[in-house]
Amino acid sequence: MSENWLRSQRQTSMTSTAIGNLYARSNSISVSSRSRRPSWSDAKKVWDAGDEEENYSDSHSQILKKLDSYYRKVKRQILAFQSLTTGLFPNHLEPDKKVGHVVENVFCAIAVWSLRQCYCKIDNDQGRAHELGQAAVKCMRGILNCWMKQAKKIEVFKNEQSTKDALHSRFNVFDGSEVEGADEVGQLQICAISIYLLTLVQMITSNLQIIFSMDEVTFVQQLVFSIERAYRTPDYGIWARGSKYNTNTCELHASSIGMAKAALEAMNGFNLYGDQGANWSVVYVDVDAHNRNRTTLDTLLPRESASKNTDAALLLTISWPTFAIHDSTLVQTTTRKCIRKLRGTHGFKRFLRDGQYTDLESKDHRFYETTEMKKFDKNECQWPMFFALMAIDGIFKNNQVQVDEYLTALNPLLRRTTEALDTTSLFTAINSETNSPKSRPITKEQQHSCSSQDISEMMAHYYYVDHSKQQSSTQSEGSDRGSNPPVSMADSSEILHGNFFLFGQSVWIICQLLVDKVLTITDLDPIRRYLSPSERPKPNSRYSSIQDSLRYQYTPNMPKLVASPPFDSVDVTFSDLVIQVVAISESVRLQQVLATYGIQTQTPKQVEPLLIWPPAELVKAYANLGANKKFGFSGRPDRPIGVLGTCKVYRICSKTVLCYPLTFETNDFYVSSDMALLLDNIRSDFEFITKCWRLKGRPIYLIMLRERHLRGPQKADLLELLTQIRNGKISTSIFVRLERLQTAISSACVEHLDFLNNSICTTLDWLPAVVHEHKSTSEVGHYKSLTDVSKIPIIVEDIDYNNHEFKNQRDDELREFINNTDTALGSLTKHALATYELYRRGGLDWMIRDNYRVRNHLEHLLKEAATWQHWAAIRFVSSLLHKVVDSLAPSVTLLLVRGKTVTLGVFGYEESIIDNPMRPNEIFKIIYGENVFNRSIFHAVLLQELLIDVSVFMSTFPQLFNGILKLRLGWILQAMKLSLEHLKNDVDDVVTLNTLSPNEIKQLLYFVLTTDSQQQTLPGGEIDQRSSFQKRQMDGALCRVPSDFFEHIWSILERTPGGIKLCGIFLPQQPTLSDMTDYELNFSLKIEEMLSKISDPAYRCLVVEMFELINVLLKRNAELCFSQTLDADYLIQEAVNLFQQQTNSTDPYKDFYNLPIQLVGGSTGYMVRVIINYLFNVNLQKVDNIDLNLGSNTDICKIS
């Protein structure tokens, strides 16, 4: 490049209006921002997302000059810091510049790659496109090599999800090793792996080769395994701080889950070798894991986590670079919340009360003390980088107003530096004042200096509140300026010391490339993440691709009325997805019987050569995915295949395989033996598929029909469901089509499992797994119609394992009884109790006879009990065998992400609290540990049933749990027990929870949840005959509180300097109010923890009523406050004493519980008197003259 050309360019840069924008407050130079440059702001249109080839107004030479300018910027501001050995970029805050952060490195690579995308459109690029592309590849491979050195961690982490086994997010930039002296604090960042995988797909799609070998392909597949459970993995978040309290506590972050969801969508079916790759270099994603991440993200948004109401990291999640969601309402709600709560004059706060980098933060200790959070309120650092992100978001949305707004706000915040053309002297600051974000006028000396140097705009790391300068300015100005001095903001001074905030600088360079129109949004997002999935280019149809729900939805053209209300503007969408149902009969005899009723079915023999597998066999096949002996990797973790995964067709080693859902798995938990529950689960599966199917092609749902399904009282319900399926409509929103399997497969979603090559298939024996035709020999003769099927009697018999006839018998007597007595219906209970005694004395492996152990006999009893539907025996034996439902862990996670806490235990005893997602083996230890199984054998299985039912209702009817923050399952079982006793028609009725079928348990739970203690009629329309005591017991057992109850406690605490005391637990006013906020979930959980110490449900309900009364009194009388500690137990005790004095009750507490919730003649009147007395700190006798019989005078609570 000639010297004359360089000199002319420097002169041009000095005379352009862009330089004028750099130095404001000059009469001859306008104070306009970069957003008003003629190169883009005067255009009639800004950015058209569908325009692949933008017609630029600049000439070819001007574009080359722009690219050359950006090339020098990238070389000096980004690539100058790249490590020669690893390709990583150091973080400017780390000592000796030896540590690089993964997230920051990925954004540096994106910035370099973005400029490479610009040069790819130029024929004579002087080799710069290749140079920049290889620099980006070097960084991406550097991160990959660092992680590959920790291969042992990822093998453990994909199964355990523990912080100590997480891949590190910080490395030594010189040799790629772990940071010396680093621990696991802040290392677990799901977002770091996710954004790396997403960027990997973007770059490979743009024809960069990053993955070189099959070993690296298997490693990337393992990375996918590690983020599939992001929905249940608490991490430290993108800021590596964990919760906002900075106490080394991980929590679920919506931003991490959203980035993982986006990465899974991008990786699904993607070939890591690019267009030149073969079938074995393809990455596979569990579609059910993706769906769990999607539903969890939709549930969490617009909240970031339990401690963070919102977070600026959500901007990276809902917009560029991830575009995790495309629900416009949710995107707008989240964005507006971030802007409303986090936007400042100098950038966005990361989250509220973020103390990092502030001058108030103590440098002496790593984590915060419990009393530190309040001082960071309204003193958080502000990050100007997010203004650039919002400008990029406006470009993707084609919103010029938004781009103008944020570029105008960002322009005075940028630091101006001069870049010498000599690379040995990098940067010299032009602005001498570091505390002022505003540009200074150009002087003649500066203009002369600029003739040989380029002006660069540098992104400041953050702006902080400079309290020292603020205090000195306040003292100098005197006290006459008022009590609210102006906030003095100062920027971080890393630029003056030659250190750059590479994360922010990379974002700013990308923003400039987009603003100058040398980079288009399709260059920056080659896989079109910014488009909804249904509008993106269709990938290779050989592998399943995640589409969008809009593909199956339509909005009918409804004529609007002239005087339509405001809510009529909401679009109503309907799903037109058709679920293809294939009914498989286990025998020809069953097929013939169903054919007489017009139900078309097929036998396994008739669908050949198509194979039908149990879902467990597909898990075994997937165990070969990503396996690698060099790394020591096993394949896919042993996780069950969900209903979405079983609705796909699989091509395995030239064979076509289908799987039936877990709903029909007979080896699963005993609930599959309940026909009524099975039918209900089938309908739930249909509803779930209609709502959550996102794959290309129609789902195929296999219904496995067995002869035992026609026994029992539910056979009419089965025929009704099959008739609905034959007619094609289950409900107004669920459409099905009964098909032959050979016909349905043509329009199905097909997945080719190419990783199972012929060498693997020869070592595996698939034939025993195939479902074969069943030939029954259990019944004498053959039935030809449903009337010939033997009937099953209804059994209602409980088992008392504490007092029975075998308790004191010898071991040989027990063995003799078991060996010589038939396991008929009449002796099932005796067999169970006799075997229990042997189990209690010797365990499951104790011998009964040769090669026949206690375990074997219990398995035999379980089958017999399932045949006769003896539910007490089924539950008792299943608990002794330590049976566990496969989907317990996902059910717990579903409840936790809804903001609930789960406890497992027996009513009246200690409970185990689950406030973070747990692994299945951890839940198993709780259920069959000291607090559950050792207390009650039946509770070990009943709690599992209840947990599954609660999670189902939480998904379908979340409003049932309004006011219930902590789901104490043992207490809910107690509420169901009380309700069952109330519903009994006969005193001698022997029906208990143990004798009810699983479906009856589910229906009883629904009845309990829908019965409001305040209503006078039950859900069926009958008059509620329960007493006030029973209603309080029910509400207390459900742990339900009124709406805004926790906000009311916050208001009470603000008026109670002495704090609140309940059940011996003291809640101080400080630091509670300083560390937390009223809208914070953690505060609600803290109050719920205090209420959980109450052992009596009715007493708990009374405490809640009392706090609501206190809130009303304080709200109506703003001048009142408690001068002493608010002791809730003392107030209730005084109210009960007052009641006893006036009524002479012999059982005052029970009689007080039975009082109606009303002012006159009820519990409210007594509690109001005690509260008023406590507020004024006077003796009770002084207010005895208050007349509580004032009719309906509800204003008695009003004092002033």
Side-chain angles (χ1 to χ4, degrees), residues 509-521:
I509 289 175
I510 296 170
C511 179
Q512 287 177 300
L513 290 172
L514 289 170
V515 167
D516 280 340
K517 292 190 175 181
V518 294
L519 178 71
T520 65
I521 57 177

Side-chain angles (χ1 to χ4, degrees), residues 848-918:
I848 297 178
R849 57 178 182 267
D850 292 342
N851 297 324
Y852 194 73
R853 304 175 185 272
V854 171
R855 184 192 308 275
N856 303 128
H857 193 61
L858 289 176
E859 294 283 1
H860 172 70
L861 292 178
L862 182 60
K863 293 180 181 179
E864 289 295 321
T867 301
W868 298 106
Q869 304 282 284
H870 192 321
W871 293 112
I874 290 174
R875 289 189 174 95
F876 184 69
V877 174
S878 296
S879 184
L880 294 180
L881 288 170
H882 288 17
K883 294 283 187 178
V884 180
V885 183
D886 285 336
S887 54
L888 277 185
S891 299
V892 170
T893 304
L894 173 67
L895 299 176
L896 294 178
V897 299
R898 296 273 183 173
K900 311 296 183 183
T901 301
V902 181
T903 67
L904 298 176
V906 179
F907 177 78
Y909 296 94
E910 183 181 355
E911 299 168 293
S912 298
I913 301 176
I914 303 177
D915 52 7
N916 277 314
M918 282 188 171

Side-chain angles (χ1 to χ4, degrees), residues 1047-1060:
E1047 287 80 358
H1048 296 165
I1049 298 292
W1050 181 273
S1051 301
I1052 295 173
L1053 190 59
E1054 288 180 323
R1055 309 270 285 276
T1056 312
I1060 299 175

Side-chain angles (χ1 to χ4, degrees), residues 129-365:
H130 180 76
E131 176 193 0
L132 294 168
Q134 291 307 302
V137 169
K138 187 175 183 179
C139 178
M140 296 295 287
R141 288 193 57 78
I143 299 173
L144 183 65
N145 290 328
C146 291
W147 278 339
M148 288 171 67
K149 295 178 181 179
Q150 298 184 324
K152 293 182 180 179
K153 285 182 174 290
I154 197 172
E155 173 63 19
V156 179
F157 180 80
K158 71 180 183 182
N159 294 298
E160 301 296 333
Q161 290 92 43
S162 61
T163 55
K164 63 182 178 65
D165 300 314
L167 290 177
H168 283 199
S169 56
R170 296 188 293 272
F171 294 97
N172 188 305
V173 298
F174 298 121
D175 56 11
S177 62
E178 296 180 5
V179 179
E180 184 178 354
D183 52 20
E184 282 71 34
V185 177
Q187 299 288 4
L188 175 52
Q189 291 181 273
I190 297 294
C191 55
I193 303 176
S194 302
I195 203 167
Y196 174 83
L197 293 176
L198 180 59
T199 305
L200 188 69
V201 174
Q202 299 275 20
M203 291 185 177
I204 294 177
T205 305
S206 67
N207 296 322
L208 285 180
Q209 185 178 358
I210 302 177
I211 305 300
F212 293 168
S213 66
M214 281 304 300
D215 293 327
E216 294 175 359
V217 171
T218 56
F219 186 84
V220 173
Q221 181 67 64
Q222 296 291 330
L223 291 179
V224 171
F225 291 152
S226 67
I227 67 171
E228 282 184 341
R229 286 194 168 184
Y231 66 91
R232 48 156 297 169
T233 307
D235 70 339
Y236 288 98
I238 196 171
W239 313 123
R241 304 275 283 184
S243 68
K244 77 173 185 180
Y245 307 116
N246 188 28
T247 56
N248 192 22
T249 304
C250 295
E251 59 184 3
L252 286 175
H253 289 88
S255 56
S256 296
I257 297 173
M259 293 179 185
K261 170 187 176 289
L264 293 176
E265 291 175 354
M267 275 288 171
N268 185 44
F270 183 74
N271 198 313
L272 293 176
Y273 285 169
D275 296 336
Q276 302 171 351
N279 295 336
W280 48 81
S281 56
V282 173
V283 178
Y284 294 83
V285 170
D286 184 357
V287 62
D288 289 281
H290 166 267
N291 179 71
R292 294 188 186 106
N293 282 287
R294 181 188 61 81
T295 53
T296 303
L297 177 63
D298 293 343
T299 302
L300 284 175
L301 290 178
R303 178 167 54 91
E304 163 71 346
S305 65
S307 66
K308 302 169 189 172
N309 188 257
T310 187
D311 194 306
L314 292 174
L315 298 177
L316 294 167
T317 304
I318 63 177
S319 183
W320 180 82
T322 53
F323 297 100
I325 57 175
H326 292 85
D327 184 346
S328 58
T329 303
L330 199 53
V331 170
Q332 291 176 7
T333 302
T334 306
T335 305
R336 289 170 183 171
K337 188 174 185 179
C338 287
I339 294 174
R340 183 175 69 255
K341 292 186 176 292
L342 303 178
R343 181 176 175 179
T345 57
H346 293 70
F348 277 72
K349 306 170 185 177
R350 297 190 304 183
F351 50 88
L352 297 179
R353 297 190 178 183
D354 174 21
Q356 192 172 22
Y357 307 129
T358 63
D359 57 0
L360 300 176
E361 186 181 36
S362 174
K363 311 302 181 184
D364 298 332
H365 50 267

Side-chain angles (χ1 to χ4, degrees), residues 560-565 568:
K560 294 185 178 181
L561 302 176
V562 177
S564 59
D568 282 350

Side-chain angles (χ1 to χ4, degrees), residues 516-716:
D516 280 340
K517 292 190 175 181
V518 294
L519 178 71
T520 65
I521 57 177
T522 52
D523 295 332
L524 184 59
D525 187 10
I527 62 175
R528 311 298 196 271
R529 287 288 313 169
Y530 64 90
L531 296 175
S532 61
S534 58
E535 298 175 357
R536 297 172 194 160
K538 298 297 184 291
N540 189 347
S541 59
R542 184 174 178 82
Y543 307 100
S544 63
S545 59
I546 298 175
Q547 301 291 317
D548 195 357
S549 60
L550 296 177
R551 181 172 178 266
Y552 303 104
Q553 290 181 350
Y554 68 95
T555 302
N557 296 322
M558 298 180 179
K560 294 185 178 181
L561 302 176
V562 177
S564 59
F567 56 82
D568 282 350
S569 60
V570 179
D571 293 333
V572 180
T573 57
F574 300 91
S575 174
D576 63 351
L577 174 67
V578 177
I579 303 173
Q580 300 183 116
V581 179
V582 177
I584 304 295
S585 295
E586 71 172 356
S587 65
V588 176
R589 180 172 62 179
L590 178 61
Q591 181 188 30
Q592 293 172 348
V593 171
L594 293 176
T596 61
Y597 293 87
I599 308 300
Q600 174 188 358
T601 63
Q602 292 177 276
T603 62
K605 184 72 173 178
Q606 293 172 341
V607 301
E608 293 179 354
L610 305 179
L611 304 179
I612 299 176
W613 278 6
E617 295 302 318
L618 190 59
V619 173
K620 296 179 182 178
Y622 266 113
N624 297 279
L625 176 62
N628 188 292
K629 293 182 179 179
K630 294 181 182 179
F631 284 117
F633 288 156
S634 61
R636 178 184 179 273
D638 188 12
R639 303 168 185 166
I641 303 295
V643 64
L644 298 180
T646 57
C647 288
K648 295 192 292 185
V649 177
Y650 295 91
R651 292 286 296 169
I652 303 175
C653 298
S654 303
K655 299 183 182 295
T656 304
V657 178
L658 293 94
C659 286
Y660 56 81
L662 279 172
T663 304
F664 302 95
E665 184 58 80
T666 55
N667 295 329
D668 196 13
F669 204 51
Y670 61 83
V671 292
S672 60
S673 302
D674 185 6
M675 191 60 199
L677 185 63
L678 176 65
L679 299 179
D680 191 50
N681 289 339
I682 293 174
R683 290 186 170 90
S684 298
D685 285 349
F686 287 155
E687 184 178 0
F688 176 78
I689 295 170
T690 301
K691 184 187 302 182
C692 300
W693 184 259
R694 297 290 191 278
L695 300 178
K696 184 180 179 181
R698 287 178 175 173
I700 294 182
Y701 188 88
L702 295 182
I703 293 183
M704 305 300 295
L705 297 173
R706 298 180 172 87
E707 293 183 359
R708 63 180 177 82
H709 291 161
L710 298 182
R711 301 170 183 162
Q714 290 86 21
K715 61 179 181 292

